[in-house]
Amino acid sequence: MDQHIAEAIGRPDLIRLDDRLVCLRFETMKVVSALAAVRHLLDTGVVRRGDTLLDSSSGIYAYALALACHRYGMRCHIVGSTTVDHTLRTQLAVLGATLEQMEPCSDLKLDQKRRVERVHEILAEHPGHHWMRQYHDDVHYLGYRAVAAMVRDGTPGEHLTLVGGVGSGASTGALAHYLRADAPGTGLVGVQPFGSVTFGAEHVADPEIIIAGIGSSIPFGNVRHAAYDTLHWISFDAALAGSVDLLRRHAVFAGLSTGAGYLAARWERDRSPRRTVLFVAADTGHRYVDTVFARHREAVPIDSLAPRQAVDRDGLALPWSRMDWNRADPPA
């Protein structure tokens, strides 16, 4: 029996959609990394119960850290993006977390820069606060060890390719790390939005939006570029079609990043007949009801979509591009 709701929220479901396509579905994925990170910091004496944990977040990590702080008797302070909505603000307040939300800003790079600057100001004012550094501290890898074990138990003897958003680097990077401890041949396919600097696609802009959570306008230290075999860059419109098809075809209600991962996973499955492809569904679709699912009639059939195979980053183009990364080092 779980001792706290965060443990239940962080436990994923493994759902086989067809013979070689598996969905690793979370209610809120970052709860996994936040819980394990806070537990480790307490066990190693870096923080003590009652201390204040601090970080910057565009939304999902704020909720995860607030739950972890509630579980372990910590205080939580979030410097939040303009994208933090009313529902999340209310949840954070009731959970006892404090939120400083940035003023509205259409430039995501500026929004992230302002949040980090504010974190440094807070640390100067309150040196006893602990900055979680979700984008740079690999303590956030620890929670995925148990998830990888669950995946191995649920897919015995199958040769896996893991597909999912790159984001902060902790989820797909950590899962691949732990899966490869037993199966070095496990493939890793990263999904990015156009405009993300992480793998050098900042020169291609998406006219809609940058898909939250899977890319970045600033470099992240937790991204281990040399872990990735292949990359897919997917636009908002293509990801919308993927999210709608996943709900319509398989009844899985998940977010926009999952729709992008689902598209990439289907493509990789169809070209790897001896592999099972597992894609990560990081959160539910509730945040996207108005922006994605209410527009379901606009979704193009996913069978009409295919990636452009790029040789290098100069060849990237909307709405969908694929490139062999071959476990290379970060772009210059």
Side-chain angles (χ1 to χ4, degrees):
M1 181 181 297
D2 294 317
Q3 301 301 308
H4 191 273
I5 185 63
E7 293 155 7
I9 290 173
R11 186 182 305 109
D13 305 304
L14 202 58
I15 306 165
R16 189 174 293 277
L17 304 185
D18 65 27
D19 287 348
R20 294 189 300 105
L21 186 65
V22 177
C23 177
L24 181 64
R25 178 198 173 273
F26 293 85
E27 182 175 340
T28 302
M29 181 181 67
K30 289 193 175 182
V31 173
V32 173
S33 57
L35 274 178
V38 174
R39 179 73 262 170
H40 177 78
L41 293 171
L42 284 166
D43 289 346
T44 55
V46 175
V47 299
R48 296 177 296 178
R49 289 183 184 271
D51 284 355
T52 297
L53 304 184
L54 164 72
D55 215 341
S56 162
S57 173
S58 60
I60 294 299
Y61 185 78
Y63 178 53
L65 185 59
L67 285 171
C69 287
H70 189 279
R71 167 71 176 86
Y72 290 117
M74 315 292 290
R75 295 185 177 91
C76 178
H77 187 82
I78 299 295
V79 178
S81 169
T82 61
T83 58
V84 176
D85 60 21
H86 173 71
T87 300
L88 180 54
R89 289 197 301 270
T90 304
Q91 285 178 294
L92 293 176
V94 176
L95 285 167
T98 53
L99 170 69
E100 290 185 45
Q101 190 167 9
M102 295 291 100
E103 293 296 321
C105 176
S106 59
D107 186 332
L108 289 181
K109 184 172 184 178
L110 178 59
D111 178 60
Q112 286 182 315
K113 180 175 181 290
R114 290 192 307 179
R115 281 188 277 138
V116 172
E117 288 173 349
R118 180 55 188 148
V119 166
H120 284 292
E121 291 173 358
I122 294 170
L123 289 171
E125 297 164 6
H126 304 279
H129 288 8
H130 180 80
W131 184 13
M132 292 298 294
R133 302 178 75 244
Q134 63 150 323
Y135 303 132
H136 304 291
D137 190 340
D138 63 7
V139 70
H140 291 91
Y141 273 55
L142 299 175
Y144 293 100
R145 185 192 303 270
V147 178
M150 189 198 84
V151 169
R152 284 195 298 270
D153 291 344
T155 57
E158 298 182 61
H159 299 290
L160 291 180
T161 293
L162 172 66
V163 178
V166 177
S168 68
S171 57
T172 48
L175 283 169
H177 172 75
Y178 292 123
L179 288 170
R180 285 171 175 169
D182 295 323
T186 300
L188 179 57
V189 177
V191 179
Q192 285 268 277
F194 290 98
S196 173
V197 306
T198 308
F199 285 88
E202 62 270 23
H203 60 292
V204 184
D206 191 326
E208 282 272 2
I209 62 169
I210 292 179
I211 302 170
I214 63 171
S216 176
S217 60
I218 59 175
F220 288 162
N222 267 343
V223 178
R224 299 177 183 175
H225 294 75
Y228 292 86
D229 298 296
T230 306
L231 294 169
H232 287 250
W233 287 267
I234 295 178
S235 71
F236 173 89
D237 289 337
L240 181 150
S243 296
V244 170
D245 188 89
L246 181 61
L247 179 57
R248 180 177 289 138
R249 192 187 302 254
H250 298 291
V252 176
F253 184 49
L256 195 59
S257 66
T258 303
Y262 171 63
L263 279 185
R266 284 171 53 91
W267 185 265
E268 298 299 327
R269 175 205 59 187
D270 292 345
R271 279 140 194 86
S272 305
R274 293 183 176 85
R275 284 185 169 268
T276 295
V277 179
L278 180 144
F279 69 97
V280 177
D283 60 359
T284 66
H286 295 88
R287 291 194 301 154
Y288 302 95
V289 169
D290 293 330
T291 56
V292 173
F293 294 100
R295 298 170 58 180
H296 62 91
R297 292 181 182 85
E298 301 174 27
V300 300
I302 61 170
D303 291 337
S304 70
L305 296 171
R308 172 178 181 168
Q309 183 66 37
V311 176
D312 55 33
R313 295 188 301 279
D314 291 336
L316 300 181
L318 296 162
W320 180 6
S321 292
R322 178 188 186 276
M323 190 172 82
D324 295 323
W325 189 256
N326 298 320
R327 306 193 187 188
D329 291 331

